[in-house]
Amino acid sequence: MEVCLFCLYALILLPGIAASMHQVKAFLNHTAYLSCYFPNSQKADIRDLRVFWQKGDVEVVHEVYYGQEIHDNINPKYINRTKMDMDKWTLQLLNAGIVDEGQYMCIIQHRDNGPPKLIHHSRCLLHIIANYSRPEIAWLHIGELKPSEYLNLSCSSSGGYPEPEQMTWLISYKNQTCSPRGHTDVSQDAITKLYNVTSKLNIPVPTNTPTNISCLLHLGEQLGSLVSVPLGIEIQGEETEQVKTNFFGPLIAVVILITFLLGFVILKKKRNISSTNQNLVPKTIELY
């Protein structure tokens, strides 16, 4: 704690040293790489430097004291979880969790004839990422869909971090697309801190045209979006069925009538041929 307070005191005394903020991302339960962004233009020897990593204002994460790593001032939750690459001036934070999110400071002091002199200060903001599962669409409808009913669907994705921006729906048909609004619920697990997302959609059953329905999970500008496998629907409406009935009914009647007429013509023709043959038979003449 004394080392940490001394560093902050040194920063206050030297406001001219810039401390730019760098954004760092790391996957959940993987290693986070936090760089000091120290150019070391003077080629300072590590044995003449004191390097501190701390989170916020009170938690000492890592300390290198004139070339030697010491653990006296490190917060217990970082013990055996950090490694310092002095060639790249980068701290490795092992098994990064959601609780590790936040702002980290790298502070470097140079040993001089008097008190250590602050020569570098940088900050980075660590963001933890956990991949969401691919959104999946599920039917909430029981039984066969009918044209006059409503289509009830849900789309879900789970186990992700950070909290998503929104979940939307996309419906495509007849070279057109629309984005109806669904009701979205977002919940966070109390233990893992991971988010689950579910959206429900209720629309009239699309009829008489092939329709594809997808849902999209928007994770932000830098993380992009996840899209579900499209759900294909093609249902014939009642009007179409009636048209089919009205069309095939007269057609069958016409076929029957034509068949009857052909039969009648063929029968009559056969009778005419039979009558003609009888007339052609020679008659016997009796002589007395």
Side-chain angles (χ1 to χ4, degrees), residues 1 4-5 8 11 22 40 54 77 85 104 120 129 144 152-153 155 157 167 177 179 190 248 256 267-269:
M1 178 65 70
C4 181
L5 292 177
L8 293 177
L11 290 177
H22 303 277
N40 194 17
Q54 63 185 66
K77 66 182 179 181
D85 186 343
Y104 291 79
H120 181 75
I129 301 171
E144 185 179 356
N152 295 316
L153 301 173
C155 184
S157 178
M167 179 176 276
T177 58
S179 299
F248 284 108
I256 293 175
L267 181 60
K268 185 176 181 180
K269 187 174 181 180

Side-chain angles (χ1 to χ4, degrees), residues 4-67:
C4 181
L5 292 177
F6 176 81
C7 294
L8 293 177
Y9 181 71
L11 290 177
I12 295 174
L13 292 178
L14 298 172
I17 296 180
S20 57
M21 179 72 75
H22 303 277
Q23 305 293 324
V24 178
K25 295 182 178 64
F27 285 100
L28 180 66
N29 299 326
H30 288 67
T31 300
Y33 296 88
L34 311 176
S35 177
C36 275
Y37 298 95
F38 178 48
N40 194 17
S41 57
Q42 301 299 322
K43 305 298 180 182
D45 193 320
I46 185 62
R47 292 171 294 183
D48 294 326
L49 300 177
R50 300 173 66 182
V51 182
F52 304 95
W53 274 99
Q54 63 185 66
K55 182 182 180 184
D57 296 337
V58 294
E59 295 181 358
V60 178
V61 178
H62 196 87
E63 180 179 356
V64 179
Y65 186 81
Y66 300 131

Side-chain angles (χ1 to χ4, degrees), residues 269-280:
K269 187 174 181 180
K270 286 183 177 180
R271 289 180 177 177
N272 292 336
I273 293 175
S274 176
S275 176
T276 302
N277 291 337
Q278 290 180 358
N279 295 330
L280 294 177

Side-chain angles (χ1 to χ4, degrees), residues 76-93:
K77 66 182 179 181
Y78 298 108
I79 297 294
N80 298 324
R81 291 187 58 215
T82 58
K83 294 180 181 180
M84 187 71 181
D85 186 343
M86 299 309 299
D87 293 329
K88 299 180 179 179
W89 302 95
T90 298
L91 179 70
Q92 300 178 26
L93 178 59

